[in-house]
Amino acid sequence: MDYLYDGSFEGLLTAIYYNYYEEKADGIYHKDYYQYSLTTNSRTLETNSEIAAKVYGAIEQKISAEALRQIYYVYLSNHPNKENLILRYLELGFKLGAKINSYYTHPAVLPVLKTAKKVSFEAHRFLGLVRFVEARNYLYAALEPDNNIIVLLADHFAERLANENFIIHDKKRNIAVIYNRQEWFLSDLPKDLKVDFSDEEAFYQQLWQRYFKHMGIDDRKNPKLQAQFVPHRYRKNLIEFN
C-alpha cells in the first residue's frame, strides 16, 4: 500500500499514523507527483490535525526532540524520497528510542542525518545572505534556496526586525513569510510580485554596491573561495552582485 498525502507536515504525520494503525505502507508520496501503477495499491489520506499531534508527541516522547527536529528538516529538504527516509527512520526510532542517532552508519539513519545537516547549513548560510529592500510600507527580501528553509529564518528576522513589517519571499516555491510587527505567518505569494520601492531605495543600493566594490583588495581577490561562501546560484537576489 502506498499512502498519498497533501504535502503538509501534518499530512505526512497522518500517513505515519496510518502506517502503524491501519495497513503498513510500502511508501508515502505527495499526491500531486505520484506515479500510479497497476501493480501497487494506493490510498489518498485526508490530513487530520489531531492524529498528527499524537504522532508529533509520540516522536518527541518515545524517541527525542532532536529526532523530531531531524525529520522536520528532512521534510523541508528537496530530497526526492524524503517521505520514505522519514518513514524508515521513525520505524527504527520507535524501536531504539533516543539512542537512534548513535547508529550513525545505519542505512535508515545516515541519509536522514546528512539531509537534515544540509538543510540546517543552508538555513544558517542564508542568515547572512538575505537582502532586504525598502518598499513603501514594508521591507522585502527575495531568495531562491535549494530547500524550503524560509520558516527556519522567520524567528531570527522577526526578532531582529521586530519593529518593521517585512516579507521574505521564496520565489522558487511561490511562498513567503509575512511579519506584521507582532507575529509571522506563511502565505502563498506569486513569483512575479511587483514591489513598489521607496524613493530612497535606489540610492542605498548604489551606496552598498559602491562599498562592496571598493572594500576589497584587488591583489587578494579569490573568486573560488568567494563562491564557496556565496554560491553563484544565490547571487541574482543579492544587491551587491547585480
Side-chain angles (χ1 to χ4, degrees):
M1 174 65 70
D2 287 341
Y3 288 127
L4 312 183
Y5 79 114
D6 61 3
S8 67
F9 189 57
E10 285 189 337
L12 177 58
L13 295 182
T14 301
I16 298 292
Y17 177 91
Y18 276 81
N19 173 70
Y20 279 96
Y21 293 101
E22 295 272 335
E23 185 174 352
K24 186 172 178 59
D26 289 327
I28 299 173
Y29 303 94
H30 193 304
K31 64 181 181 180
D32 292 344
Y33 310 116
Y34 182 65
Q35 299 293 321
Y36 289 90
S37 169
L38 294 176
T39 60
T40 305
N41 292 325
S42 62
R43 178 181 175 185
T44 301
L45 300 176
E46 183 176 344
T47 297
N48 186 308
S49 297
E50 292 184 2
I51 286 176
K54 290 180 181 179
V55 177
Y56 187 100
I59 296 169
E60 193 170 36
Q61 295 167 15
K62 296 182 180 180
I63 308 178
S64 67
E66 175 63 14
L68 184 60
R69 186 185 71 85
Q70 298 279 6
I71 67 163
Y72 184 62
Y73 277 36
V74 174
Y75 163 75
L76 296 176
S77 77
N78 63 355
H79 194 290
N81 197 35
K82 60 186 180 182
E83 294 88 357
N84 296 303
L85 293 186
I86 292 171
L87 175 62
R88 304 312 168 201
Y89 176 84
L90 290 179
E91 286 178 336
L92 182 64
F94 283 125
K95 294 177 182 177
L96 298 178
K99 62 182 180 180
I100 182 173
N101 287 346
S102 64
Y103 288 70
Y104 184 81
T105 59
H106 193 287
V109 177
L110 181 58
V112 166
L113 298 184
K114 290 177 68 174
T115 304
K117 185 176 180 180
K118 287 181 180 179
V119 174
S120 177
F121 177 77
E122 186 177 39
H124 181 73
R125 169 181 270 170
F126 263 95
L127 293 179
L129 294 180
V130 173
R131 298 290 184 264
F132 286 96
V133 297
E134 187 177 59
R136 294 297 174 182
N137 56 1
Y138 61 93
L139 301 179
Y140 172 85
L143 62 160
E144 297 179 53
D146 298 331
N147 302 288
N148 186 11
I149 61 169
I150 61 171
V151 293
L152 303 180
L153 307 177
D155 284 340
H156 172 83
F157 287 106
E159 182 177 349
R160 289 194 62 187
L161 303 172
N163 296 320
E164 302 285 349
N165 296 312
F166 69 72
I167 295 173
I168 302 176
H169 186 187
D170 185 342
K171 298 175 73 173
K172 191 173 184 178
R173 296 168 181 83
N174 296 326
I175 58 175
V177 162
I178 300 175
Y179 178 71
N180 61 9
R181 299 184 183 178
Q182 295 180 341
E183 60 183 357
W184 65 265
F185 56 92
L186 193 65
S187 176
D188 295 331
L189 202 65
K191 182 177 182 178
D192 57 354
L193 174 73
K194 292 184 178 180
V195 180
D196 187 16
F197 296 124
S198 70
D199 295 333
E200 295 180 327
E201 178 58 32
F203 168 76
Y204 284 112
Q205 287 194 21
Q206 292 173 6
L207 193 65
W208 171 241
Q209 289 168 340
R210 193 176 301 122
Y211 168 76
F212 180 76
K213 179 179 179 181
H214 292 290
M215 70 177 291
I217 301 172
D218 288 340
D219 293 339
R220 299 186 64 181
K221 285 185 177 179
N222 187 339
K224 185 176 180 180
L225 180 62
Q226 187 185 53
Q228 292 179 15
F229 287 98
V230 188
H232 289 274
R233 65 185 182 276
Y234 297 152
R235 295 186 182 186
K236 63 181 176 180
N237 293 307
L238 299 181
I239 295 166
E240 59 266 40
F241 289 101
N242 289 339

